[in-house]
Amino acid sequence: MVESFPVYSNEQILSVRPERNQLASDRPYAFLVEQEHSAHGQTVDVATLFLTNAECPFRCLMCDLWKNTLPRSEPPGEIPEQIRFALFQLPPANQIKLYNSGNFFDPKAIAFDHYEKIAALVRDFDTVIVENHPKLCGDSCLEFRDLIHPAQLEVAIGLETCHPELLASLNKGMTLRDYEKAARFLLSEGISLRTFILLKPPFLNEEEGITWALKSMEYAFDLGVNCCSLVPTRGGNGIMEQLHLQGKYSPPLGSSLEFVLELGVSMHRGRVFMDTWDVEKFFHCAHCRQSRIDRLKQMNLQQTVLPAIECEVCRQSPAHSADAS
């Protein structure tokens, strides 16, 4: 039996949005150096730049990245200058992420004639990581790949889930066939691929959320993806709050984050990371919260399953456990 999930239009999603953040169009809205386990098995420093850019044209149900973008009607900021500004402030790093809250190869976000200037700024890094939608993976990816040589280009794509009906309900404007086509194209051209996978998207209960996150990792690895980044599904964009009130969405439990990362790392099929931004909200026990978060971060870095955290408070009082709601 094929499962049926509700479908929300662009208009419905847009109608309940809160205000976007006010940004300076000529500066990245955030930048930092973080550590990551590389494809070569080493811990490396990664300069991560969150560029202020035009809003993504796709209206994904669960997305709140638009909050840190400029309206599509406004001209995007000068991306090469934003990169130059951030790199001047940051210490040296091995790799660089150029995340623009949308699609790097969207010509209305980053102009093709900026590629050479961007490449001149980043080609000395070992790896350059950008984010993009499957339907926007084409010749521009190859042009940029060639310009940044000898750096390795890696494209991050949001699969979210390999559940075809659920994927359709997320309003991503893509199918699994679109994802597979993009993955095969990029990999055949020597471009590395990482993918974002949601942990417990809307309309799934806790057990289903875990099951489909694991299935989605297997699906991505089968296609040749070399890195899966797990993203606990969060609220904050308006429509997710509505779904929560309707009983169609609730955040994943902290124990689910731990369990899925453990099993993902244990696959030994590629790197598996758990997104730890704002992860405190998923762990409710004050006695073990930080230890659990530190464990997730270390498993991300080491790509090894570490000993489980034992908490007497959680054991003695379920009401105070890490997963109490």
Side-chain angles (χ1 to χ4, degrees), residues 280-296:
E280 294 83 4
K281 66 175 63 176
F282 302 109
F283 294 95
H284 303 280
C285 177
H287 294 268
C288 64
R289 178 189 298 121
Q290 193 56 53
S291 296
R292 293 182 187 277
I293 294 171
D294 291 343
R295 178 174 178 262
L296 289 179

Side-chain angles (χ1 to χ4, degrees), residues 58 133-135 157-159 161-169 171-183 219 223:
F58 300 95
H133 191 279
K135 286 188 175 179
I157 293 179
L159 165 62
T161 180
C162 69
H163 190 309
E165 290 76 32
L166 179 56
L167 179 60
S169 79
N171 200 46
K172 282 190 64 70
M174 61 171 264
T175 64
L176 291 180
R177 181 172 294 182
D178 294 325
Y179 178 86
E180 292 169 7
K181 180 181 178 181
Y219 170 86
L223 286 170

Side-chain angles (χ1 to χ4, degrees), residues 36 62 97 99 129-134 137 153-162 167 172 174-176 178-184 186-187 191-199 212-232 260-261 267 269-275 300:
E36 185 171 286
M62 67 292 168
K97 292 178 183 175
Y99 284 176
I129 305 161
V130 301
E131 55 188 346
N132 204 52
H133 191 279
C137 292
L153 177 60
E154 183 173 304
V155 177
I157 293 179
L159 165 62
E160 320 306 356
T161 180
C162 69
L167 179 60
K172 282 190 64 70
M174 61 171 264
T175 64
L176 291 180
D178 294 325
Y179 178 86
E180 292 169 7
K181 180 181 178 181
R184 292 190 177 109
L186 294 171
L187 293 170
I191 297 171
S192 299
L193 182 60
R194 73 171 59 196
T195 199
F196 298 115
I197 293 171
L198 290 177
L199 174 56
W212 281 102
L214 295 172
K215 285 184 177 182
S216 298
M217 277 192 282
E218 292 280 11
Y219 170 86
F221 285 137
D222 285 346
L223 286 170
V225 170
N226 57 31
C227 178
C228 288
S229 183
L230 298 158
V231 182
V260 172
L261 181 58
M267 289 179 186
R269 300 192 62 187
R271 293 170 294 157
V272 178
F273 301 132
M274 180 63 68
D275 178 18
N300 281 346

Side-chain angles (χ1 to χ4, degrees), residues 6 8 12 16 203 238-250:
Y8 295 83
Q12 287 174 299
V16 291
F203 318 121
I239 193 71
M240 293 296 289
E241 280 63 40
Q242 283 198 356
L243 293 176
H244 181 72
L245 291 173
Q246 296 166 7
K248 297 176 181 176
Y249 158 74
S250 62

Side-chain angles (χ1 to χ4, degrees), residues 52-315:
T52 301
N53 205 204
E55 181 180 344
C56 175
F58 300 95
R59 313 299 189 191
C60 300
L61 183 71
M62 67 292 168
C63 182
D64 67 351
L65 297 178
W66 54 268
K67 287 183 176 180
N68 289 311
T69 62
L70 303 171
R72 193 98 174 149
S73 58
E74 295 183 13
E78 185 75 13
I79 297 302
E81 178 54 35
Q82 291 189 44
I83 296 170
R84 185 179 295 107
F85 175 84
L87 292 180
F88 184 76
Q89 317 290 322
L90 293 174
N94 308 88
Q95 302 183 2
I96 187 168
K97 292 178 183 175
L98 302 176
Y99 284 176
N100 63 321
S101 302
N103 309 293
F104 190 88
F105 298 108
D106 174 359
K108 292 187 177 180
I110 297 178
F112 178 79
D113 59 10
H114 285 178
Y115 284 9
E116 286 195 21
K117 292 180 180 178
I118 294 171
L121 293 166
V122 303
R123 65 168 60 99
D124 289 337
F125 289 92
D126 295 337
T127 304
V128 180
I129 305 161
V130 301
E131 55 188 346
N132 204 52
H133 191 279
K135 286 188 175 179
L136 297 175
C137 292
D139 289 345
S140 55
C141 301
L142 308 185
E143 296 279 357
F144 189 68
R145 174 204 63 188
D146 294 343
L147 285 170
I148 66 171
H149 183 78
Q152 171 69 47
L153 177 60
E154 183 173 304
V155 177
I157 293 179
L159 165 62
E160 320 306 356
T161 180
C162 69
H163 190 309
E165 290 76 32
L166 179 56
L167 179 60
S169 79
L170 297 179
N171 200 46
K172 282 190 64 70
M174 61 171 264
T175 64
L176 291 180
R177 181 172 294 182
D178 294 325
Y179 178 86
E180 292 169 7
K181 180 181 178 181
R184 292 190 177 109
F185 168 73
L186 294 171
L187 293 170
S188 71
E189 294 291 347
I191 297 171
S192 299
L193 182 60
R194 73 171 59 196
T195 199
F196 298 115
I197 293 171
L198 290 177
L199 174 56
K200 200 183 177 191
F203 318 121
L204 298 185
N205 62 32
E206 203 71 26
E207 183 178 355
E208 293 167 337
I210 291 171
T211 296
W212 281 102
L214 295 172
K215 285 184 177 182
S216 298
M217 277 192 282
E218 292 280 11
Y219 170 86
F221 285 137
D222 285 346
L223 286 170
V225 170
N226 57 31
C227 178
C228 288
S229 183
L230 298 158
V231 182
T233 308
R234 302 174 174 89
N237 69 351
I239 193 71
M240 293 296 289
E241 280 63 40
Q242 283 198 356
L243 293 176
H244 181 72
L245 291 173
Q246 296 166 7
K248 297 176 181 176
Y249 158 74
S250 62
L253 301 176
S255 57
S256 297
L257 274 67
E258 295 174 305
F259 183 67
V260 172
L261 181 58
E262 289 167 8
L263 291 188
V265 168
S266 297
M267 289 179 186
H268 300 295
R269 300 192 62 187
R271 293 170 294 157
V272 178
F273 301 132
M274 180 63 68
D275 178 18
T276 57
W277 176 79
D278 203 20
V279 74
E280 294 83 4
K281 66 175 63 176
F282 302 109
F283 294 95
H284 303 280
C285 177
H287 294 268
C288 64
R289 178 189 298 121
Q290 193 56 53
S291 296
R292 293 182 187 277
I293 294 171
D294 291 343
R295 178 174 178 262
L296 289 179
K297 292 179 178 179
Q298 285 304 308
M299 286 200 293
N300 281 346
L301 279 179
Q302 298 178 30
Q303 291 297 288
T304 300
V305 177
L306 299 177
I309 301 298
E310 300 293 337
C311 178
E312 289 298 324
V313 174
C314 292
R315 182 181 295 116

